[in-house]
Amino acid sequence: MKFGGSSLANATRIKNAARIVQRFLPENKMVVVASAMNDTTDRLVEIGELARKGENARARKMTARAASTKKTRRELLNLIDRLNRDLEKTVEGISHLRELTPRSRDYLLSFGERLSAPILAATIRSLGLKTRALTGAEAGITSDERFGEANPLVEVSYHEIRRRLGPLLARNEIPVVTGFIAASVDGSITTIGRGGSDYTASLLGAALNTDEIWIWTDVDGLMTADPRIVKDARVLPTVSFGEALELSFFGAKMMHPRGVQPAAQRKIPVRIRNSSKPTLEGTLVSSGETQNGGRIVKAVSIIRSVGIVTVSGTGMIGSPGAAAKVFMALGSNNVNVMMISQGSSEATISCVVARKDVDNAVRALQLALLGQGLVDKVVAEKDTCIIAVVGSGMKGTPGVAARIFGAVARKKINVRIVAQGSSEYNVSFVVSEEEGPEAVRSIHEEFQLGNY
Ligand code: ADP
Ligand code: ASP
Ligand code: MG
């Protein structure tokens, strides 16, 4: 069971999570994964930025807020005190050097989960159950050193997870593991990407070959669209792994992009449920056939905060290897490309990247490509978002794209870039950030996703 930040947002929510564990324990053995409380990780990100800029007083003030807790038992209090002091020292170090490296940033971000997991474990213990709080590293999750987006070394991790958690489970102890964080082989703390607690849960489930993986969150399940954007969005009772993969990758916030991957590989069903309404079944993500009521499109999601970087030059026309040079320049500067388009004129290549990477991408492309007769211009746009339309019923059905773009056009929304994944589960396109929500609503309406 993984509890998301909103399910651990305060003392009441944490007690509620503990009671959910208690409720399902009699007929199960389980491993619990804890996210950081509420938006702690966002605040740690801010604190890091403040410290890097040398805004010590503000950083310190926020640090105190990030770590404040109510009265708890002595042992837990001591641990929280220790973590708080360590956190303060970390922030001080960053502001002293005015340097926030990917490594120190991961160390800083790890405090969210390192605080929440022991608190949740203690709360479960107070209900009379045996628990043990563990960091991702203590649970056996080992990763490479790509700080910020570290990749778990799957086979080693699976082996270590079984070795370390197996004996606890055999003694009926409930391991409560920090989501989101792992450690490199030499023991440095790494994080596995924002929203990574889903991924942690999936890895642990796959390693231990659990019957199911449950993700407790603040909505009734995976829905046809973000309920904050579409009022009549509806819960999907079943979703295939393929669809979940497309949705979570493009849905950005709902789930970690690789969140279901380990579960999908081992065909372990994933349930997404509302921690405020534990009697609801939620959404079942599995390798089985999904009921879609003959519907073509299943859901539509939005990924915000992306930008477009376009390189153009007549020199690229008919020049083999031009695209390779573009992607090489981006890849070697650690810029992840989310979408690509090249027109058949071959005179331009556009790449969609995260907004935070746009400046870096432009610089990398200018340095690598200008002045060689290939590329004349590199331009960027920053205020865009991706809309992804997902559904396994789209495969081989003609006319879906026409309906999608017809609906968007009727709202007078300009489409910048289009891509269809070869899985045929997904048509995605880019519009201005401002028009994104309206584009989502127009597609939701066109395919009547709100109706049963
Ligand atoms: P957690 O803290 O449990 O990890 P997140 O905030 O990461 O929760 O994800 C849950 C939120 O994702 C929901 O509150 C909802 O607003 C948003 N969301 C976006 N798209 C969807 C969707 N298609 N279905 C359900 N929720 C969605
Ligand atoms: N706390 C981390 C984040 O906010 C991981 C997670 O919640 O899944 O990204
Ligand atoms: Mg999440």
Side-chain angles (χ1 to χ4, degrees), residues 139 216 397:
W216 293 100
T397 310

Side-chain angles (χ1 to χ4, degrees), residues 2-8 35-36 38-39 194-198 215-229 233-236 247 251-256 272-273 275 283 299-302:
K2 171 253 175 178
F3 292 92
S6 47
S7 301
L8 300 173
S35 284
N38 211 18
D39 56 355
R194 291 305 305 274
S197 300
D198 301 324
I215 309 278
W216 293 100
T217 183
D218 62 348
V219 281
D220 292 351
L222 270 182
M223 304 175 81
T224 50
D226 188 337
R228 289 170 298 192
I229 296 176
R234 178 174 59 82
V235 175
L236 297 160
L247 261 176
K253 259 230 84 192
M254 185 54 202
M255 221 196 223
H256 186 281
I272 297 162
R273 309 182 64 164
S275 63
T283 298
V300 51
S301 64
I302 180 168

Side-chain angles (χ1 to χ4, degrees), residues 302 304 355 383-385 413 431-439 441:
I302 180 168
R304 296 176 199 264
R355 185 173 303 146
D383 295 319
T384 53
C385 62
I413 296 170
V431 300
S432 75
E433 179 105 61
E434 196 190 356
E435 290 172 317
E438 191 56 33
R441 284 190 285 269

Side-chain angles (χ1 to χ4, degrees), residues 251-314:
K253 259 230 84 192
M254 185 54 202
M255 221 196 223
H256 186 281
R258 285 169 296 170
V260 294
Q261 218 176 49
Q265 255 157 19
R266 303 238 161 160
K267 296 195 164 54
I268 301 175
V270 177
R271 250 178 229 287
I272 297 162
R273 309 182 64 164
N274 191 338
S275 63
S276 301
K277 302 179 201 164
T279 51
L280 295 186
E281 293 278 316
T283 298
L284 179 65
V285 185
S286 72
S287 52
E289 282 299 302
T290 72
Q291 309 137 17
N292 209 9
R295 253 181 246 256
I296 301 161
V297 168
K298 192 145 191 177
V300 51
S301 64
I302 180 168
I303 176 163
R304 296 176 199 264
S305 304
V306 304
I308 305 173
V309 179
T310 302
V311 296
S312 51
T314 42

Side-chain angles (χ1 to χ4, degrees), residues 5 8-10 36-51 58-69 87 91 100 105 108-112 115 180 194:
L8 300 173
N10 53 42
M37 292 170 62
N38 211 18
D39 56 355
T40 305
T41 311
D42 291 331
R43 281 202 245 145
L44 289 167
V45 170
E46 279 175 57
I47 289 170
E49 284 306 312
L50 288 172
R58 282 179 65 198
R60 194 187 301 256
K61 216 164 122 198
M62 280 196 75
T63 312
R65 245 194 315 151
S68 79
T69 39
L87 171 59
V91 175
L100 184 62
R105 190 171 182 275
L108 174 64
L109 295 196
S110 74
F111 282 96
L115 279 160
F180 183 50
R194 291 305 305 274

